[in-house]
Amino acid sequence: MNCWQTIQDYGLRSLGYGERLLPRSDFTLCDQFTLIGSGMIWNVYFGAIALVTGFFFATLLAVGKASHNRLARKSSEWFIFLFRGSPLFIQFFFAYFLFLSLKSVSPFFNPLSSAGMGALVVLFLNTSAYSAEIFYGALQSIPKGDVEAADAYGITGVPRFRRILWPTMLRLAWPAYTNEAIFLFHATTLVFFSGFPAWRQKGDALYYANYFADKTFNPFIPYPILAGYFILLTLIVIGLFGVVNKRLNRHLPKEQRRKIRYRPQLMR
Amino acid sequence: MGFYISFGTVLLLLAITAPLALLFGFGGAMAARSHFPPLSWIGRGYIAIVRGVPDIAFFLFFVIALDQGFEWARHKVLCPEWTDPIRQGNDFVVCAAAKMPLSSSPQWMHETYGFSLAVLTFSIVFGAFAANVLNGAMGAVPRAQVETAEAYGMSHRQTFWRITVPQMWVYALPGLSNLWMVLIKSTPLLFLLGVEDIVYWARELGGFKTARFTAYPHPDWRMWYFLALLVFYLGFTRVSEIVLTRLTNKLSHGQATTGGEAQRRAEA
């Protein structure tokens, strides 16, 4: 069986298309590359959707934490503490069993106990909390002059936030937010090891890498492949965020622009 | 009973890993700053590789890799007359005398061996993060201090040990305290390394029990067990946060940093 055939059979295996059975013996390099790459679809799916939806919620939370309204401030503070203070791994476990017991309450919750939806909800809440803390920090360090200038022009309320505070907040937060995005993608590998079942062996990249390592008892091939895929993903994320960063900083003179430095904030 | 002991396991892991990771980090940072190129490449490579890849992949990789490394080394020493290849297809075969731990040894030996592999893995991964932090801290020691030392005729080594190392801790503390929080939050990953830790017991004890197997039948309580773990971790991180804030205040007392300056102003 040549490699093209393998890609056709297993390229979309993680979504349930193609060959039903995973290869059982005589693993070729091509098998491993294809299946682990196929698993990456899930990692990208979780990461991308949680990032985009989490972005809006994080903005809301950051504004809530910075507001003078006691109720809004306290509730955002607690939310952020809850999700930043506990391990993501335990959050996954707890959420999974919570969704399982909700399932018996109402069939409405059925999709939540599958990895595709349930884990996404947890990742969404988690990344919202982490990004909200970053955005809050940026909101606190907006130059006083910018706000005063807005006041002088008579811009207040929502327009002031949308046109003055928000762009500056994003510009200041962007380097840190890039790192958060990278680590969100890394965190997606936890999903299938934390209770959420890989139904019909449809798992993510680490799931397949682990499968190969278990079957061949040789970790030196699948894990480096996985590492290669993730380094590639990281580079893509840095590239995309770099474009946005350029746009956010386009009004500044060249030497004042802040470069994105890869400074990982580690795992959760 | 095992459930309560496993909390001890987590604390023990933290108590052993933290100093060990610091040691690895110190070695890594020293290597990275070395003036001998190959050594500095090793140090930099160690830091760069471990940071670029999802940590969970590293955990899964190192446990098998270290295990096989030990067995391979013992195999070479203990059974030199063995001529068969070690990798036979999908199997990893070493002679009986080289098995780690010996198959005749009691159960607690196996558990201790698994635990120490986990500790070593954690130390290697977190050592790289610590190396990064310490490397930055060594660079942050004011240049004037080093120049003064050189003016007094101290050698490179003397400058490093007498000037740089004592002064770098203040600069390293924010990074290290962040690392400590991350270390706490990564302890549930012990479960993936095959150690019977709190996650394992929460799953075991919380699961659905019928009257046939146990004297205390109960429905699925895993959700509540994981809620308890969540609260445990929240409390733990909160306490650490408070202690670390106090430590930072204490260490920055009288230092030429913004924190120290603020304290001096507040007192004056």
Side-chain angles (χ1 to χ4, degrees):
Chain A
M1 194 164 69
N2 63 1
C3 192
W4 181 236
Q5 184 66 36
T6 312
I7 293 179
Q8 282 189 332
D9 283 348
Y10 291 113
L12 293 174
R13 176 63 182 75
S14 62
L15 300 180
Y17 299 109
E19 203 65 26
R20 181 90 182 270
L21 290 173
L22 294 184
R24 294 187 170 271
S25 54
D26 308 323
F27 304 99
T28 57
L29 264 183
C30 178
D31 281 347
Q32 308 205 6
F33 263 108
T34 313
L35 258 182
I36 295 175
S38 160
M40 285 301 286
I41 297 173
W42 278 110
N43 294 98
V44 173
Y45 158 83
F46 282 131
I49 296 190
L51 200 63
V52 171
T53 49
F55 174 78
F56 295 102
F57 191 41
T59 311
L60 203 68
L61 279 172
V63 174
K65 191 171 175 182
S67 86
H68 294 291
N69 183 338
R70 199 179 148 74
L71 183 72
R73 197 179 66 235
K74 280 289 161 200
S75 51
S76 340
E77 271 176 5
W78 270 100
F79 180 87
I80 292 173
F81 171 64
L82 184 70
F83 280 94
R84 290 185 79 228
S86 62
L88 179 64
F89 199 49
I90 301 282
Q91 289 168 19
F92 273 134
F93 267 114
F94 174 67
Y96 176 62
F97 294 118
L98 178 73
F99 293 148
L100 270 193
S101 36
L102 282 180
K103 208 172 168 180
S104 58
V105 178
S106 147
F108 172 74
F109 294 108
N110 274 352
L112 280 181
S113 56
S114 72
M117 278 307 294
L120 189 60
V121 169
V122 179
L123 279 171
F124 158 69
L125 295 174
N126 190 280
T127 189
S128 301
Y130 276 88
S131 323
E133 188 65 26
I134 294 173
F135 288 162
Y136 170 73
L139 213 52
Q140 296 303 91
S141 46
I142 288 178
K144 215 165 84 182
D146 287 19
V147 187
E148 279 169 358
D151 288 339
Y153 275 101
I155 308 176
T156 51
V158 176
R160 188 180 72 161
F161 178 76
R162 202 175 57 80
R163 294 171 56 185
I164 312 288
L165 297 182
W166 194 60
T168 312
M169 175 191 91
L170 283 187
R171 182 170 65 80
L172 295 177
W174 208 255
Y177 189 57
T178 309
N179 284 319
E180 159 61 23
I182 293 168
F183 272 78
L184 175 68
F185 279 106
H186 287 190
T188 54
T189 49
L190 273 175
V191 171
F192 288 100
F193 287 87
S194 60
F196 285 102
W199 193 58
R200 287 192 184 154
Q201 298 187 309
K202 295 188 248 174
D204 75 333
L206 187 62
Y207 176 83
Y208 289 125
N210 190 37
Y211 172 83
F212 285 122
D214 277 354
K215 290 280 177 213
T216 60
F217 209 59
N218 178 4
F220 295 99
I221 295 172
Y223 289 127
I225 292 176
L226 176 78
Y229 274 122
F230 265 96
I231 288 170
L232 206 65
L233 185 63
T234 306
L235 290 179
I236 293 173
V237 170
I238 290 181
L240 287 179
F241 275 68
V243 172
V244 178
N245 191 43
K246 218 174 210 164
R247 187 176 160 78
L248 286 172
N249 281 313
R250 71 192 185 284
H251 60 288
L252 290 178
K254 218 166 197 130
E255 57 273 16
Q256 269 186 36
R257 294 185 188 175
R258 307 215 314 183
K259 282 259 168 56
I260 292 184
R261 279 184 58 214
Y262 177 54
R263 279 182 53 206
Q265 183 242 335
L266 318 169
M267 93 188 88
R268 293 94 202 286
Chain B
M1 201 47 215
F3 184 60
Y4 300 107
I5 293 177
S6 61
F7 280 95
T9 311
V10 169
L11 296 181
L12 187 67
L13 175 91
L14 283 174
I16 302 177
T17 307
L20 210 58
L22 211 55
L23 210 66
F24 270 72
F26 200 76
M30 266 172 69
R33 293 180 73 79
S34 155
H35 287 267
F36 179 58
L39 203 60
S40 121
W41 292 334
I42 293 175
R44 281 165 206 276
Y46 170 54
I47 297 175
I49 291 176
V50 177
R51 288 195 333 172
V53 179
D55 347 52
I56 314 112
F58 258 100
F59 287 133
L60 294 175
F61 170 77
F62 267 122
V63 169
I64 310 183
L66 283 175
D67 187 36
Q68 292 188 353
F70 286 143
E71 290 195 340
W72 180 79
R74 281 169 60 98
H75 178 83
K76 284 279 167 210
V77 174
L78 292 175
C79 342
E81 71 281 0
W82 190 288
T83 50
D84 293 345
I86 289 184
R87 287 201 186 284
Q88 300 176 358
N90 289 342
D91 285 318
F92 184 81
V93 184
V94 289
C95 64
K99 280 261 184 283
M100 268 294 266
L102 296 174
S103 47
S104 57
S105 54
Q107 175 66 21
W108 68 267
M109 285 275 283
H110 284 268
E111 281 174 13
T112 314
Y113 179 65
F115 182 74
S116 32
L117 270 187
V119 166
L120 206 55
T121 309
F122 266 77
S123 307
I124 290 175
V125 173
F126 279 91
F129 294 138
N132 190 37
V133 170
L134 292 180
N135 194 9
M138 287 175 191
V141 172
R143 180 81 191 112
Q145 296 278 341
V146 180
E147 272 167 7
T148 314
E150 278 162 2
Y152 274 96
M154 286 190 186
S155 70
H156 189 67
R157 178 186 303 246
Q158 280 174 327
T159 317
F160 179 74
W161 285 110
R162 297 191 191 170
I163 308 295
T164 312
V165 173
Q167 287 194 45
M168 72 174 186
W169 296 109
V170 193
Y171 301 99
L173 195 68
L176 288 182
S177 54
N178 185 22
L179 205 59
W180 168 251
M181 303 297 243
V182 175
L183 184 61
I184 292 176
K185 286 191 272 173
S186 68
T187 47
L189 298 176
L190 265 183
F191 169 69
L192 295 182
L193 310 186
V195 178
E196 294 185 356
D197 76 326
I198 37 185
V199 177
Y200 170 85
W201 284 108
R203 273 167 67 107
E204 282 293 296
L205 296 175
F208 184 71
K209 298 265 166 56
T210 53
R212 259 178 69 194
F213 298 115
T214 161
Y216 303 103
H218 63 75
D220 198 339
W221 278 353
R222 281 178 292 189
M223 187 181 123
W224 304 113
Y225 274 93
F226 279 107
L227 186 64
L229 289 190
L230 207 69
V231 172
F232 165 70
Y233 276 107
L234 277 179
F236 202 4
T237 44
R238 187 89 196 110
V239 169
S240 310
E241 218 171 71
I242 293 169
V243 170
L244 286 170
T245 316
R246 287 214 183 135
L247 192 65
T248 314
N249 280 340
K250 203 166 176 120
L251 273 188
S252 45
H253 189 83
Q255 289 278 349
T257 56
T258 13
E261 185 64 15
Q263 275 185 9
R264 195 181 61 79
R265 288 243 186 84
E267 280 164 21

